[in-house]
Amino acid sequence: MSETPSTPAAEDPVVRITGLHKSFGSLQVLRGIDLEVRRGDVVCIIGASGSGKSTLLRCVNLLEVPDSGQIVVHGTDLTDPDVDIDKARRGIGMVFQSFNLFSHLSVVDNLTIAQRKVLGRSKAESWNIANTNLNKVGLGDKVHSMPTQLSGGQQQRAAIARALSMDPDVMLFDEPTSALDPELVGDVLGVMRQLADEGMTMLVVTHEMQFAKEVADVVLFMDGGVVVEQGAPAQVIGDPQHERTRTFLSRVLNPVQVEE
Amino acid sequence: MSETPSTPAAEDPVVRITGLHKSFGSLQVLRGIDLEVRRGDVVCIIGASGSGKSTLLRCVNLLEVPDSGQIVVHGTDLTDPDVDIDKARRGIGMVFQSFNLFSHLSVVDNLTIAQRKVLGRSKAESWNIANTNLNKVGLGDKVHSMPTQLSGGQQQRAAIARALSMDPDVMLFDEPTSALDPELVGDVLGVMRQLADEGMTMLVVTHEMQFAKEVADVVLFMDGGVVVEQGAPAQVIGDPQHERTRTFLSRVLNPVQVEE
Amino acid sequence: FQRLEPGAVSQPGDPIELLEAGQLKTCTHLPYPPFQSTENDEIVGFDVDVVDEVAKRIGANQVIFDTSFEGIETGQSFEIGDCDVAAAGMTITPERERVMDFSDPYFDALQSLLVRTGSDISSLADLRGKTLGVQQGTTGEEYATREQQKNGYRTIQFEDLALLQTAVLTGRVEAGINDNGVLYDYAKDNPKTTVSAEFDTGDRYGIAVRKGNGALLAKINEVLAQIEADGTYDQLYLKWFGRKPDSSDERER
Amino acid sequence: MAVSKRKRARVVRGVQYGILVAVVILVILFADWGAIRDAFFNLDAAGTQVPQIFTSALVNTALYTLLGFAFGLALGLVLALMKLSSVPPYRWLATIYIEFFRGVPALLVFITLGFGVPIAFQIKFGLYTTVMLALGLVGAAYMAETIRAGIQAVPKGQLEAARSLGMSHGRAMITIVIPQAFRIILPPLTNELILLTKDSSLIYVLGLAREEYDLTKFGREGLNETSSLTPILLAGLCYLIITIPLSYLSRYLERRTGRKKAAADTAAALEVKG
Amino acid sequence: MAVSKRKRARVVRGVQYGILVAVVILVILFADWGAIRDAFFNLDAAGTQVPQIFTSALVNTALYTLLGFAFGLALGLVLALMKLSSVPPYRWLATIYIEFFRGVPALLVFITLGFGVPIAFQIKFGLYTTVMLALGLVGAAYMAETIRAGIQAVPKGQLEAARSLGMSHGRAMITIVIPQAFRIILPPLTNELILLTKDSSLIYVLGLAREEYDLTKFGREGLNETSSLTPILLAGLCYLIITIPLSYLSRYLERRTGRKKAAADTAAALEVKG
Ligand SMILES: Nc1ncnc2c1ncn2[C@@H]1O[C@H](COP(=O)(O)OP(=O)(O)OP(=O)(O)O)[C@@H](O)[C@H]1O
Ligand SMILES: Nc1ncnc2c1ncn2[C@@H]1O[C@H](COP(=O)(O)OP(=O)(O)OP(=O)(O)O)[C@@H](O)[C@H]1O
Ligand SMILES: [Mg+2]
Ligand SMILES: [Mg+2]
């Protein structure tokens, strides 16, 4: 096991990705990604289906193992073969499109199990932290519910609370609202906006342009495994420079106008 | 078997529903619906999940059997026990949220099978009609594809072409774009807009407010099994009179603003 | 599990070694009345009584183990140490003598034909073009196979006696061949069937022991001679067959 | 749909009932009821069977089955983990085992185990051990596939979520995946218990002492003693006493698993209204 | 995940291989190889079996199985339609039948059919008829449930789409639902063919003439004649010749059905790029 360097200098980026490549068989999904995320930044990643957004996010906590390139999170180089990846992952919260609450555990057990088994917190302490985070996402009354008794929106908020309970340095969101009924989207985006306001560092894959416009510090447009364009939302969404970005945005923003 | 009256007077509504009630067990889903759809009208039905929109649409071609009330389509009273419902249904095209292309048949067979088996058209004739309609929805090159080889958007357009091949007097759409990736929505809405422009009578359940605003002649807001508000889109969407309509629209139109 | 001990070779007069002290384990294949069958939850029969006489004289209890007849007649039951003796209405044949040792004969068996009452089949020759049921692994089967060429019938093989007898009853086969003792017993209880012929094939039943177990074999022969002499044998015969044996000379022949 | 063509529907239904009645009448006329009663419902024959068929044979069948099931479950779990192992020889061994025992009749396995293995290895098992091995070896092949499928049926996202919280692979398997897999496989496992109950009817080939008879052997013996099929029928009913409740249990468990998803959908629908 | 804790992973793998090697060595030391060779791989014994085991026994097993399968499929289809019928007595009859035959060992069914029914009804079937009935009755109970499940697994939307195009219920069933159901049930039906192949090992209880022997009977007979387990092993291998290809076929069909869905997802993903 190697040591995680403690408290990196404040100006260091929380996430630094350099030259990231990833293929599935013969399919090159990521073809050289470079990215720096500073503390407190909200980075929204947009792009067409299949462009590699999820793969990029999953590489950041090694759910996919990169072929080459470097991923440094909070000072730890994840691609170092001797790194204790389980330990490194504790600092990285992940929220999935399909929620992935543990379906055999109640909401509070979902929030406490990793605190106890991984961080070794006491039952009381983990319970307190779980409660605080559930209240934060507006589920203070669902402590003892089973995941199946919750709506999709509630499940996703519980999943966010679960990730927060591990005190992550950075949160990854992979299309957190795509599996939700349109009317349940708002609650989840509300929680995410609040997190951003509190200064959480966030990497968000999303199709919600409105959210990206209002909340993101940086918007990244991906296509074919590379970052085509990147910058402030007003620039990338409001005034895209690349043809591919423009096509994508016009399709997503004005579905009705698209012709046959 | 009873006779379908031929060519009803031009001013008769194509669909006339009066006092429609429908329950599932103890759950009252439709609680007295009255509705008239004139020839060439596009009626968009909006409302929260569970408000009975699909059930209303399904009653119009007796996929659900009403408890009470009358449904007259093109002069035929569908609730008359002696009516030949198979014959009446030929005049009513239905497009489902989940496409429902026949998965063991190629695209063209999907379009011709009912023409041949139900309308008794010849192979050549049904093939011609199928081709015309496939070209209309932009799938002229997919004649021999299997449904599984098509994207969701293409499947839905093929399903529309299939319904059109039966020369319906009215088309019912039940959330035709809800199962599609955001970027595939545009193509399907484009086809629907074109149909509307050609003067097809249409009843559309949808969450696409933009489409409703631009294409509908009448927008209908349903809640709890009754029609709460109904009128021109500018009125119902632009200036809703009822509190429930306002709440619903604000949730759907501005998901990000909704607070915790 | 326990490791198999093939069992030492012993000579007449050596101490008798049983698989388990105090128990004389007998392999048989049920049902084979009147030699062995179940009555009121107990296994009884002529063989059972004869072996009991042996058990009594070596100070052991007879424990009966019902196993497949093929297991017995191939000697496997001895090889895997299931039993000390096998008493299953088993005819002494050269094939069987190769895999086990037999006592002196204790019963003369005739083969016989079971047919439905009213049937005109009274010899193997009458069966030409018809079917004859046999029980798997019996001398009846062997006899029927031997005579098949000459008489032109088909043999149908059944797993046990009961299935063979029922097959005759239902007409699945025209006739069934087996030892006379058991078939008479069945016909007595099932008037729809009758025994229509007997053949003396010179079959003698013997009690079998594991090959090389000379001590036990000698003891069995000794007991057989004793009960013959003191009249016990005739009593048992009367009990199970309803008559005295024809003549002891014939059996000894 | 029920509204359409009322009359035609009435005619169709009439024809269906007609066929039913005709078949029933034919059976009544055709069958030899006296013989059937003698054969199937012979009270005398039944009398000689009861109560031993319940106190001994039924108990033995249940006991044999449970022995085989317990051993089969343990071996099946090992085989399932072998099949999911990253070490190829383990996967190969498990695959060969499973293919072999799924492809060969249980009867052959029983004969081989009862007569072949003792000779080849010069060892002898007691009856209970033999039964446990024989039924267990057959059952393990089925259960291995069930358990493996159950583990793989737990959505990959559950493991990923656990890993992303910092759990090791082993801990994630034990605390998250296997408990969920167990719920998934409970219904098919119950079905395999039924299959084993039925396969236990073949253990008579191993050779049984009177007090060791299972239901089938007991029924066949009764058939011999009474020349009536009643004992066989009784044995069959005894099997149903075991298998039908198990089959309802299996379906209940399956429905319960299914209903959870439905409950989630309902909850989602309700939130909008609330 | 493969990156983490390389060393620990190496140790774990080493231990696994170690166990494997230890087990192999134990088996080699423990087994009596001479006896095993004599028992299982006795060339003389094999010689007396070949070629009849292929030309007669294997063929008979296949024939009996196919007879039973054909009858079982037909009866199973009838039972499935009865279970889906709107006439309650049909549903009840089908349910009773299915529960009964799924809950009772095939051996009891064979004995009852081979010996009980002829007594009760005073009728006599030829061997092929008996085998067809016996295997078919057992197989039908399984296939009925498979077919019913297959029909119900066709998405309700398919029937609704057909009805909304003006097709009658019957026509929609025949042209749309049943063809799709057939594709769905092909893999489980193949599995039931395997089960029937194995169940055919029980027909020896009906009584067989030499030329009618199936694989199991042939193997057991060989065991008696040669006192070697080789014939049983040969018979087992012959079963595998039938069952393993069928089981691969079943899995292939299953995968093909599954892959269609995946293809659709890919197509949807591609459209965006194109
Ligand atoms: N485990 C995998 N094995 C093989 N191919 C994969 C795997 N995961 C992803 N892919 C492929 O990699 C490409 C990029 O996938 P990715 O999920 O990163 O796209 P995405 O931008 O997230 O798209 P979406 O918006 O649909 O989620 C796709 O073509 C996908 O099919
Ligand atoms: N076949 C059925 N049996 C029982 N309940 C049903 C059935 N179909 C619909 N319902 C119930 O009727 C109510 C109205 O359903 P409906 O599908 O008409 O709503 P909807 O407005 O279309 O909603 P959504 O936007 O979710 O499609 C819901 O509560 C639903 O659960
Ligand atoms: Mg993605
Ligand atoms: Mg709906």
Side-chain angles (χ1 to χ4, degrees):
Chain A
M1 293 204 200
S2 80
E3 259 317 88
T4 315
S6 51
T7 20
E11 65 276 13
D12 272 3
V14 178
V15 178
R16 192 179 65 234
I17 300 172
T18 37
L20 181 62
H21 281 79
K22 173 71 184 172
S23 306
F24 292 111
S26 63
L27 180 70
Q28 288 204 349
V29 177
L30 298 181
R31 302 189 294 173
I33 304 276
D34 300 291
L35 174 65
E36 298 209 346
V37 183
R38 285 164 310 164
R39 177 166 307 283
D41 263 8
V42 175
V43 177
C44 279
I45 304 170
I46 63 174
S49 179
S51 56
K53 308 182 297 293
S54 297
T55 307
L56 171 58
L57 217 61
R58 292 164 59 83
C59 280
V60 174
N61 70 351
L62 286 199
L63 284 178
E64 304 291 351
V65 181
D67 298 335
S68 66
Q70 215 190 20
I71 302 174
V72 181
V73 177
H74 211 244
T76 309
D77 180 1
L78 301 184
T79 48
D80 175 357
D82 285 327
V83 83
D84 181 347
I85 180 62
D86 293 336
K87 200 166 167 193
R89 278 205 187 105
R90 294 176 205 163
I92 308 168
M94 175 105 185
V95 175
F96 300 86
Q97 181 173 351
S98 49
F99 328 143
N100 293 347
L101 287 186
F102 303 136
S103 57
H104 63 307
L105 299 178
S106 68
V107 167
V108 67
D109 287 343
N110 260 280
L111 269 73
T112 55
I113 190 162
Q115 292 188 57
R116 285 187 288 121
K117 306 258 169 182
V118 175
L119 301 181
R121 286 181 185 155
S122 74
K123 196 164 170 151
E125 188 188 2
S126 66
W127 188 283
N128 271 340
I129 293 172
N131 246 322
T132 310
N133 283 306
L134 282 175
N135 281 323
K136 193 173 194 167
V137 301
L139 292 177
D141 55 336
K142 300 287 182 184
V143 175
H144 295 291
S145 301
M146 294 303 286
T148 50
Q149 296 167 333
L150 303 185
S151 74
Q154 292 169 333
Q155 287 189 55
Q156 192 59 297
R157 284 183 278 150
I160 295 173
R162 179 174 67 179
L164 290 177
S165 298
M166 304 296 286
D167 301 328
D169 301 307
V170 51
M171 289 275 287
L172 314 176
F173 293 84
D174 189 4
E175 303 198 25
T177 60
S178 299
L180 298 178
D181 282 344
E183 301 178 59
L184 306 180
V185 167
D187 295 343
V188 172
L189 291 183
V191 167
M192 289 169 63
R193 167 185 288 250
Q194 183 190 339
L195 266 187
D197 292 346
E198 291 171 13
M200 175 61 75
T201 313
M202 290 161 64
L203 255 149
V204 185
V205 172
T206 188
H207 283 293
E208 298 287 338
M209 291 304 147
Q210 191 69 16
F211 177 84
K213 251 189 217 163
E214 295 178 20
V215 181
D217 298 298
V218 179
V219 172
L220 217 91
F221 173 67
M222 282 183 69
D223 195 29
V226 295
V227 175
V228 174
E229 194 159 354
Q230 128 174 47
Q235 181 200 323
V236 177
I237 302 180
D239 179 24
Q241 299 302 305
H242 291 256
E243 183 51 36
R244 282 191 279 176
T245 321
R246 274 198 291 274
T247 316
F248 172 78
L249 285 171
S250 78
R251 282 185 155 234
V252 171
L253 293 176
N254 306 305
V256 185
Q257 265 75 20
V258 174
E259 347 192 343
E260 250 328 278
Chain B
M1 296 202 199
S2 81
E3 259 316 88
T4 316
S6 53
T7 21
E11 65 274 16
D12 271 6
V14 176
V15 179
R16 193 179 64 235
I17 299 171
T18 36
L20 182 62
H21 281 79
K22 173 71 184 173
S23 306
F24 292 111
S26 63
L27 180 70
Q28 288 204 346
V29 177
L30 298 181
R31 302 189 295 173
I33 304 277
D34 300 292
L35 175 63
E36 299 210 344
V37 183
R38 284 165 309 162
R39 176 166 310 279
D41 265 8
V42 174
V43 178
C44 279
I45 304 170
I46 62 174
S49 179
S51 56
K53 308 181 298 292
S54 297
T55 307
L56 171 58
L57 217 60
R58 292 163 60 83
C59 280
V60 174
N61 71 352
L62 285 198
L63 285 177
E64 304 291 352
V65 180
D67 299 335
S68 66
Q70 215 189 19
I71 302 173
V72 181
V73 177
H74 212 244
T76 308
D77 179 2
L78 301 183
T79 48
D80 174 355
D82 285 327
V83 82
D84 181 348
I85 180 63
D86 292 336
K87 201 165 167 193
R89 278 203 185 108
R90 293 174 205 166
I92 308 168
M94 176 105 187
V95 175
F96 300 87
Q97 181 173 352
S98 48
F99 328 143
N100 293 347
L101 287 187
F102 302 135
S103 57
H104 63 307
L105 298 179
S106 67
V107 168
V108 66
D109 287 343
N110 261 280
L111 268 73
T112 56
I113 191 163
Q115 292 188 59
R116 287 187 287 119
K117 306 259 170 183
V118 174
L119 300 181
R121 286 181 184 155
S122 73
K123 194 162 173 157
E125 188 188 1
S126 66
W127 188 283
N128 271 340
I129 293 173
N131 246 321
T132 311
N133 283 305
L134 282 176
N135 280 323
K136 192 172 191 167
V137 300
L139 292 176
D141 55 335
K142 300 287 181 185
V143 175
H144 295 292
S145 302
M146 293 303 287
T148 49
Q149 296 167 333
L150 303 185
S151 74
Q154 292 169 333
Q155 287 189 54
Q156 191 60 297
R157 285 183 278 150
I160 294 173
R162 179 175 68 179
L164 290 177
S165 298
M166 303 296 286
D167 301 327
D169 301 307
V170 53
M171 290 275 289
L172 314 177
F173 293 85
D174 188 3
E175 303 198 25
T177 60
S178 300
L180 298 177
D181 283 345
E183 301 178 61
L184 306 180
V185 167
D187 296 342
V188 172
L189 292 182
V191 167
M192 289 170 64
R193 168 185 288 249
Q194 183 189 340
L195 267 187
D197 291 347
E198 291 172 12
M200 176 60 76
T201 314
M202 291 162 64
L203 255 149
V204 185
V205 173
T206 189
H207 283 292
E208 298 288 338
M209 290 305 146
Q210 191 69 16
F211 177 83
K213 252 190 217 161
E214 294 178 21
V215 181
D217 298 299
V218 179
V219 171
L220 216 91
F221 174 67
M222 282 184 67
D223 195 31
V226 295
V227 175
V228 175
E229 195 159 354
Q230 132 173 44
Q235 180 200 324
V236 177
I237 302 179
D239 179 25
Q241 299 302 307
H242 290 257
E243 183 50 36
R244 283 191 280 175
T245 320
R246 275 198 290 273
T247 316
F248 171 79
L249 284 171
S250 78
R251 281 186 157 233
V252 171
L253 292 177
N254 307 305
V256 185
Q257 266 73 20
V258 173
E259 345 192 341
E260 246 332 277
Chain C
F1 61 87
Q2 66 196 73
R3 206 147 168 101
L4 279 189
E5 285 151 18
V9 171
S10 62
Q11 304 301 324
D14 287 354
I16 295 170
E17 276 186 38
L18 296 178
L19 288 166
E20 242 166 87
Q23 291 189 356
L24 183 64
K25 290 197 173 172
T26 307
C27 272
T28 193
H29 179 64
L30 290 171
Y32 208 64
F35 295 93
Q36 44 261 318
S37 65
T38 322
E39 253 172 44
N40 300 326
D41 212 25
E42 240 181 292
I43 299 170
V44 296
F46 183 73
D47 282 358
V48 179
D49 285 351
V50 170
V51 176
D52 263 341
E53 293 297 326
V54 177
K56 212 164 24 180
R57 279 159 229 236
I58 60 173
N61 268 331
Q62 183 180 196
V63 176
I64 296 176
F65 186 63
D66 181 24
T67 188
S68 74
F69 193 73
E70 60 191 290
I72 298 173
E73 70 134 13
T74 54
Q76 282 167 352
S77 298
F78 289 122
E79 276 188 68
I80 65 179
D82 270 349
C83 40
D84 300 296
V85 303
M90 185 161 48
T91 304
I92 304 167
T93 67
E95 292 79 41
R96 290 174 186 164
E97 279 184 311
R98 260 190 272 131
V99 289
M100 63 191 89
D101 287 339
F102 278 100
S103 71
D104 297 335
Y106 69 95
F107 185 82
D108 293 348
L110 298 176
Q111 290 301 315
S112 59
L113 272 190
L114 183 76
V115 297
R116 259 161 301 152
T117 313
S119 158
D120 52 7
I121 294 166
S122 57
S123 71
L124 290 182
D126 292 340
L127 277 166
R128 182 167 299 278
K130 300 190 168 146
T131 50
L132 172 63
V134 300
Q135 185 191 347
Q136 165 186 341
T138 59
T139 46
E141 179 187 18
E142 219 173 276
Y143 181 68
T145 311
R146 215 179 320 131
E147 300 288 312
Q148 189 171 17
Q149 203 74 35
K150 201 165 66 192
N151 295 297
Y153 47 75
R154 260 169 23 115
T155 57
I156 309 281
Q157 199 194 53
F158 292 89
E159 188 187 25
D160 65 25
L161 177 64
L163 294 181
L164 169 64
Q165 290 163 337
T166 314
V168 173
L169 186 67
T170 63
R172 168 97 171 83
V173 289
E174 257 83 16
I177 189 167
N178 216 297
D179 297 6
N180 58 350
V182 291
L183 290 189
Y184 274 120
D185 196 69
Y186 183 77
K188 196 173 68 199
D189 294 337
N190 290 275
K192 281 183 182 170
T193 62
T194 181
V195 175
S196 70
E198 289 187 324
F199 327 97
D200 188 356
T201 54
D203 285 350
R204 309 278 179 271
Y205 288 174
I207 296 171
V209 300
R210 174 175 52 75
K211 203 147 188 57
N213 193 352
L216 183 56
L217 190 66
K219 186 71 190 174
I220 293 170
N221 283 334
E222 184 191 317
V223 174
L224 285 178
Q226 268 176 22
I227 62 175
E228 176 93 28
D230 67 11
T232 314
Y233 181 89
D234 286 359
Q235 270 173 21
L236 293 180
Y237 200 101
L238 184 66
K239 172 179 168 196
W240 289 106
F241 301 99
R243 61 195 167 99
K244 295 247 178 193
D246 296 341
S247 115
S248 41
D249 319 62
E250 204 177 306
R251 195 173 56 255
E252 301 292 326
R253 186 183 54 197
Chain D
M1 292 177 223
V3 175
S4 92
K5 298 179 193 154
R6 279 196 187 172
K7 279 171 218 153
R8 206 207 284 177
R10 218 176 300 137
V11 172
V12 168
R13 179 154 318 183
V15 169
Q16 286 186 306
Y17 272 107
I19 293 174
L20 188 65
V21 169
V23 167
V24 168
I25 289 175
L26 271 177
V27 167
I28 290 175
L29 291 181
F30 191 57
D32 177 345
W33 287 103
I36 289 181
R37 204 188 43 242
D38 283 357
F40 288 104
F41 306 103
N42 184 327
L43 285 185
D44 292 346
T48 68
Q49 303 290 301
V50 178
Q52 286 91 331
I53 195 166
F54 295 114
T55 56
S56 170
L58 182 61
V59 171
N60 279 339
T61 286
L63 181 66
Y64 298 151
T65 306
L66 286 178
L67 279 174
F69 187 74
F71 177 61
L73 189 62
L75 182 58
L77 183 62
V78 172
L79 286 166
L81 293 175
M82 280 171 75
K83 254 212 121 159
L84 294 170
S85 156
S86 57
V87 181
Y90 280 107
R91 289 203 303 274
W92 300 333
L93 281 176
T95 303
I96 291 172
Y97 179 95
I98 292 168
E99 291 293 330
F100 184 85
F101 281 93
R102 290 180 66 151
V104 157
L107 186 64
L108 280 187
V109 176
F110 284 22
I111 290 175
T112 308
L113 204 83
F115 299 104
V117 172
I119 292 174
F121 290 78
Q122 294 295 313
I123 47 177
K124 191 185 156 220
F125 306 112
L127 175 72
Y128 289 121
T129 317
T130 316
V131 167
M132 190 175 87
L133 286 176
L135 276 178
L137 287 174
V138 171
Y142 287 96
M143 291 193 253
E145 281 295 302
T146 303
I147 296 170
R148 184 194 55 72
I151 289 176
Q152 289 186 331
V154 174
K156 227 178 126 226
Q158 296 283 322
L159 182 63
E160 289 185 345
R163 297 301 308 267
S164 79
L165 290 170
M167 291 190 196
S168 69
H169 185 82
R171 185 181 297 285
M173 286 297 284
I174 291 168
T175 57
I176 305 298
V177 177
I178 292 191
Q180 291 187 38
F182 188 67
R183 293 190 181 198
I184 296 173
I185 63 175
L186 221 48
L189 228 43
T190 312
N191 273 330
E192 269 134 37
L193 189 54
I194 296 177
L195 287 182
L196 277 193
T197 307
K198 301 200 291 170
D199 278 345
S200 75
S201 66
L202 301 177
I203 62 168
Y204 74 91
V205 297
L206 300 175
L208 294 176
R210 179 84 192 168
E211 67 278 10
E212 294 166 347
Y213 282 4
D214 76 308
L215 282 172
T216 297
K217 181 72 184 165
F218 196 86
R220 288 179 72 174
E221 270 308 302
L223 168 71
N224 297 334
E225 286 165 25
T226 64
S227 279
S228 155
L229 275 162
T230 309
I232 294 274
L233 194 73
L234 256 177
L237 292 178
C238 285
Y239 279 106
L240 295 181
I241 290 176
I242 301 178
T243 55
I244 288 187
L246 282 178
S247 122
Y248 275 89
L249 175 66
S250 159
R251 267 172 274 177
Y252 165 76
L253 292 171
E254 211 159 348
R255 257 204 319 279
R256 215 188 46 173
T257 319
R259 196 178 298 149
K260 268 200 207 131
K261 258 194 70 198
D265 298 348
T266 313
L270 286 178
E271 184 179 68
V272 177
K273 290 189 177 170
Chain E
M1 291 176 224
V3 175
S4 89
K5 297 176 192 158
R6 277 196 189 174
K7 279 171 214 149
R8 207 207 285 175
R10 216 177 301 136
V11 172
V12 168
R13 177 151 323 182
V15 169
Q16 286 187 307
Y17 272 107
I19 293 174
L20 187 66
V21 168
V23 167
V24 168
I25 289 175
L26 270 178
V27 167
I28 289 175
L29 292 180
F30 192 56
D32 178 346
W33 287 104
I36 289 180
R37 203 187 45 241
D38 283 356
F40 288 103
F41 305 103
N42 185 325
L43 284 185
D44 292 345
T48 67
Q49 302 292 301
V50 178
Q52 287 92 330
I53 196 165
F54 297 114
T55 57
S56 170
L58 182 61
V59 171
N60 279 339
T61 286
L63 180 67
Y64 297 152
T65 306
L66 286 178
L67 278 175
F69 187 73
F71 176 62
L73 190 61
L75 182 58
L77 184 62
V78 171
L79 286 165
L81 293 176
M82 280 171 75
K83 255 211 123 160
L84 293 170
S85 157
S86 57
V87 181
Y90 281 108
R91 290 203 302 275
W92 300 334
L93 281 175
T95 304
I96 291 172
Y97 179 96
I98 292 168
E99 291 294 330
F100 185 86
F101 281 93
R102 290 180 66 151
V104 158
L107 187 64
L108 283 188
V109 176
F110 285 20
I111 290 176
T112 308
L113 201 84
F115 301 98
V117 172
I119 292 179
F121 289 77
Q122 297 293 318
I123 47 175
K124 194 184 124 191
F125 305 115
L127 175 72
Y128 289 118
T129 317
T130 316
V131 167
M132 192 176 85
L133 287 176
L135 276 178
L137 286 173
V138 171
Y142 287 97
M143 291 193 250
E145 281 295 302
T146 304
I147 296 169
R148 185 194 55 72
I151 290 176
Q152 290 186 331
V154 174
K156 227 178 124 225
Q158 295 283 323
L159 182 62
E160 289 185 346
R163 298 299 310 266
S164 78
L165 290 169
M167 291 190 196
S168 69
H169 185 81
R171 185 181 297 285
M173 286 297 285
I174 291 168
T175 57
I176 305 299
V177 177
I178 293 190
Q180 292 189 37
F182 188 69
R183 293 188 179 198
I184 296 173
I185 64 177
L186 222 48
L189 228 44
T190 312
N191 272 330
E192 269 133 39
L193 189 54
I194 296 177
L195 286 182
L196 277 193
T197 307
K198 300 201 291 170
D199 278 345
S200 76
S201 67
L202 301 177
I203 63 167
Y204 70 89
V205 295
L206 299 175
L208 295 176
R210 182 90 196 168
E211 68 277 10
E212 295 166 346
Y213 282 5
D214 75 310
L215 282 170
T216 297
K217 182 73 187 165
F218 196 86
R220 287 178 76 177
E221 205 46 33
L223 169 72
N224 292 340
E225 284 164 19
T226 65
S227 280
S228 155
L229 274 164
T230 309
I232 294 274
L233 193 73
L234 256 178
L237 291 179
C238 285
Y239 278 105
L240 296 180
I241 291 175
I242 301 179
T243 54
I244 288 187
L246 282 178
S247 120
Y248 276 89
L249 175 66
S250 159
R251 266 172 274 178
Y252 165 75
L253 292 171
E254 211 158 351
R255 257 202 320 278
R256 217 189 44 173
T257 318
R259 196 179 298 152
K260 269 203 208 128
K261 260 193 68 197
D265 298 349
T266 312
L270 287 179
E271 183 179 69
V272 177
K273 289 188 178 170

